[in-house]
Amino acid sequence: MVTRHHVPAATPPDLYGKREQDRAMRVLNRLADGFLAAAPLLYRRRGPADGVVSADLSLTLAARTVEAADQDVVSLVLQAADGAELPAWTPGAHLDVLLPSGRLRQYSLCGDPFERNTYRIAVRRVPDGGGGSIEMHALPVGAHITVRGPRNAFAFTGAGHFGAGESGTGGTSLRFIAGGIGITPILPMVRLADRMGLDWSLIYTGRSAESLPFLGELRALGPRVTVRTDDEGGVPSAAELVGPDPDAAFYCCGPTAMSSALMAAVPPTAEFHSERFSALPVVNGTEFTVELARTGEVLTVPADRTALEVIRERLPDVPYSCQQGFCHTCEVKVLRGEVDHRDRVLTDDQRANGAMLICVSRCGGTLSLDL
Ligand code: FES
């Protein structure tokens, strides 16, 4: 009999929406073994692992394809000017894309990690989304684009599949849940699960079939893929999203309402991984104050809001991107005060030198910021 690793229902998701990590790390090692066993067939030379590379790469937009029938999603294929191999990545990874305007945006890699000479990303046009997607849609083939990464904040660690019979492992199926453009990190995971012969299923939701990118690629994977659109069946229930096996390992990317409903519905013992479209909710926050040192203005950050949100009400040009503490865009210098660092990317030296990511980090009293 398989013993499940129990996670209390009250356990909050961590920064990246995962309820547990120790088991996931064990499974990751096993998955990596299987993944890399196939790699020599396709890899002539291994590049650096994703998450390690941070230097800017100057790439060329080699192809642009409309991927949704409503024309709102395009995929962009990027490659080096000389066609050289690009740094390796794993499903769930993203690129930081530095736009010509100076905006920084993150886009999940949605191509094939075994294809080493190109990256593929996809962008949904969001007219009121701050301009980044409009800019991406306007890029012509041949344009030069600067990217950083790849980095992975949504790692695919499989399921208990490889550890059946070991203490702490249980369900062996994978349940993927994607809403709209949330399919981008999920697509390479699905392909890898299928390539490795795992037991998986995908429910792919959205307003209508016209709004869903990559439908043809997904349908080609067969009956494990369920496409469920609001215009035909209404908004799917949490039970539909969970699917037939509540003990599956869940990988979800989509609108916040969908991931929240799903997270509330899966059993507390289930392995749950998600990537959100919006800022993380504040967990265990307390009120604190922020002094904008250049003007002397003092702002109060309520327990349930982030410093970034409050500061942007006064300084709307303060830059930000991921709102999840991994892109560095919102980094500011702390002049005085003790920071409760809640990111996972700043080094000890950076923290000691006063760096703070104001989208997630907080304070118990007052901070003076170089703003
Ligand atoms: S906005 Fe990305 S780290 Fe704060």
Side-chain angles (χ1 to χ4, degrees):
M1 178 180 157
V2 173
T3 306
R4 300 269 332 162
H5 182 92
H6 179 73
V7 180
T11 302
D14 73 3
L15 184 64
Y16 301 113
K18 298 165 196 162
R19 279 192 179 157
E20 59 181 26
Q21 292 193 323
D22 50 347
R23 172 185 164 192
M25 286 310 296
R26 286 201 311 275
V27 175
L28 174 61
N29 289 335
R30 291 172 181 273
L31 181 64
D33 288 347
F35 183 75
L36 293 175
L41 299 174
L42 297 154
Y43 279 54
R44 283 192 295 277
R45 176 169 63 82
R46 289 196 66 201
D50 54 2
V52 174
V53 180
S54 58
D56 288 1
L57 288 173
S58 180
L59 303 180
T60 303
L61 177 54
R64 179 185 186 282
T65 307
V66 174
E67 298 288 357
D70 67 4
Q71 310 265 314
D72 278 349
V73 179
V74 293
S75 69
L76 306 175
V77 175
L78 310 175
Q79 66 179 30
D82 60 359
E85 266 191 6
L86 300 173
W89 59 281
T90 51
H94 68 269
L95 289 179
D96 293 322
V97 178
L98 191 59
L99 299 175
S101 64
R103 295 181 177 102
L104 185 71
R105 292 291 183 268
Q106 286 75 41
Y107 296 103
S108 295
L109 286 158
C110 58
D112 183 345
F114 288 105
E115 167 47 56
R116 295 296 311 280
N117 299 91
T118 59
Y119 290 145
R120 182 175 72 161
I121 57 177
V123 183
R124 172 172 291 286
R125 178 169 38 210
V126 185
D128 55 355
S133 67
I134 305 293
E135 208 175 329
M136 290 294 282
H137 270 244
L139 289 173
V141 170
H144 297 292
I145 302 175
T146 301
V147 308
R148 291 177 196 141
R151 292 186 290 154
N152 200 328
F154 184 34
F156 177 49
T157 57
H161 209 89
F162 297 94
E166 292 180 7
S167 174
T169 62
T172 59
S173 67
L174 291 158
R175 177 68 164 173
F176 298 106
I177 305 98
I181 194 68
I183 193 64
T184 50
I186 298 289
L187 183 52
M189 297 183 188
V190 166
R191 282 236 188 74
L192 179 56
D194 197 58
R195 185 178 275 164
M196 296 179 70
L198 304 184
D199 177 13
W200 64 273
S201 64
L202 163 70
I203 181 166
Y204 185 20
T205 70
R207 289 190 321 275
S208 63
E210 288 69 36
S211 70
L212 296 180
F214 304 117
L215 267 187
E217 289 183 34
L218 288 160
R219 284 187 165 136
L221 293 170
R224 290 177 185 272
V225 175
T226 301
V227 176
R228 174 71 166 73
T229 55
D230 301 353
D231 61 346
E232 294 202 342
V235 176
S237 67
E240 285 176 277
L241 298 175
V242 169
D245 179 8
D247 284 330
F250 295 87
Y251 287 82
C252 170
C253 185
T256 304
M258 185 188 84
S259 358
S260 301
L262 181 68
M263 186 181 263
V266 300
T269 50
E271 192 179 307
F272 187 89
H273 307 255
S274 72
E275 186 166 68
R276 309 168 71 99
F277 285 174
S278 58
L280 296 168
V282 175
V283 176
N284 296 331
T286 55
E287 182 180 294
F288 63 103
T289 55
V290 166
E291 180 199 34
L292 306 179
R294 296 185 205 173
T295 61
E297 188 171 8
V298 175
L299 309 175
T300 298
V301 181
D304 61 350
R305 301 189 70 199
T306 67
L308 174 68
E309 290 172 333
V310 173
I311 290 169
R312 277 180 55 81
E313 288 173 356
R314 282 290 195 284
L315 303 174
D317 292 335
V318 165
Y320 71 99
S321 185
C322 71
Q323 301 182 75
Q324 297 176 38
F326 61 79
C327 75
H328 285 262
T329 308
C330 68
E331 183 175 324
V332 301
K333 186 167 178 62
V334 179
L335 302 176
R336 199 176 59 254
E338 186 124 347
V339 181
D340 169 13
H341 289 285
R342 297 188 173 197
D343 66 275
R344 292 182 175 183
V345 294
L346 291 178
T347 63
D348 289 345
D349 280 351
Q350 289 170 325
R351 291 177 180 184
N353 286 328
M356 173 184 181
L357 301 183
I358 56 174
C359 65
V360 289
S361 294
R362 307 183 67 81
C363 168
T366 299
L367 289 175
S368 178
L369 302 180
D370 187 17
L371 286 170

